[in-house]
Amino acid sequence: MQSSPNVVAGRSCGTCTLCCRLPDIDHLDKPANAWCRHCVAGKGCSIYADRPSVCRDFLCLWMTDEGLAEVWEPSLSHMVVYRQGPQVTVLVDPDHPDVWRKEPYHSHLRTWADDAEATGGYVIVFSQDDVFKM
Ligand code: SF4
Ligand code: SF4
C-alpha cells in the first residue's frame, strides 16, 4: 500500500507489504496471516490501480502517527499496528510470533495500554492463533 496526505514526513511503505499478509480481509476472501493473492513479494500490489477501497483506505499507525518510534516500522518490528475506535490492534507476523514480548516492544505496548485505559481504550495483540489483551 502506498502513501496518502496524512503520512508522517519521511515515512513510506517502501517494500513493506505486511498489511497484505497479516489482516483477514473479507472482501478478498483472505484469511489472517495468508498472503493476498494479488501481492507480489518485495514489490507490492499487482492490482494497485484497481485495489479495493479497504486497501485504499488503510494505513498502519506507523505511517500516520509520529508518536510511533522508528523501531515500529513494520519491516523492522514484524508487527502492524492500527486503531479501531477504542482498540489499538497489533498484528504479529507469524514468522516472529514472540517479538511483541521482547523489548522495547513489550514496554511500549504496556505504556500504550496504560494510557488507553484512562480513556476506556485497550490494546489487543494477535499472534498466530492467540489473542492477548494488554
Ligand atoms: S504495514 Fe504499514 S508500512 Fe507496511 S505496507 Fe502496510 S501501511 Fe505500509
Ligand atoms: S489487493 Fe493489493 S493492496 Fe489489497 S491486500 Fe491485496 S496486494 Fe495488498
Side-chain angles (χ1 to χ4, degrees), residues 1 13 16-17 19 58-60 63 74 80:
M1 297 182 193
C13 293
C16 176
T17 52
C19 59
F58 181 83
L59 281 172
C60 73
M63 287 284 282
V80 174

Side-chain angles (χ1 to χ4, degrees), residues 1 17 19-21 25 28 30 36-40 44-48 50-52 54-56:
M1 297 182 193
T17 52
C19 59
C20 301
R21 182 185 185 194
I25 305 177
L28 295 165
K30 192 194 94 51
C36 173
R37 63 187 180 280
H38 301 300
C39 185
V40 180
C45 181
S46 64
I47 59 163
Y48 186 74
D50 298 317
R51 67 198 189 289
V54 66
C55 302
R56 291 177 186 277

Side-chain angles (χ1 to χ4, degrees), residues 16-23 35 74-75 77-80 91 93:
C16 176
T17 52
L18 213 52
C19 59
C20 301
R21 182 185 185 194
L22 302 192
W35 285 105
S75 59
S77 68
H78 308 291
M79 290 176 270
V80 174
L91 305 181
D93 184 339

Side-chain angles (χ1 to χ4, degrees), residues 14-105:
T15 57
C16 176
T17 52
L18 213 52
C19 59
C20 301
R21 182 185 185 194
L22 302 192
D24 65 284
I25 305 177
D26 288 344
H27 186 87
L28 295 165
D29 292 323
K30 192 194 94 51
N33 297 328
W35 285 105
C36 173
R37 63 187 180 280
H38 301 300
C39 185
V40 180
K43 291 187 176 178
C45 181
S46 64
I47 59 163
Y48 186 74
D50 298 317
R51 67 198 189 289
S53 59
V54 66
C55 302
R56 291 177 186 277
D57 296 342
F58 181 83
L59 281 172
C60 73
L61 212 52
W62 180 78
M63 287 284 282
T64 61
D65 185 345
E66 60 188 355
L68 265 71
E70 296 299 331
V71 290
W72 281 97
E73 180 176 354
S75 59
L76 297 175
S77 68
H78 308 291
M79 290 176 270
V80 174
V81 182
Y82 58 100
R83 287 190 191 281
Q84 295 170 291
Q87 177 173 314
V88 174
T89 301
V90 181
L91 305 181
V92 182
D93 184 339
D95 295 337
H96 302 268
D98 294 323
V99 69
W100 68 279
R101 300 181 189 274
K102 298 177 181 175
E103 296 299 344
Y105 300 112

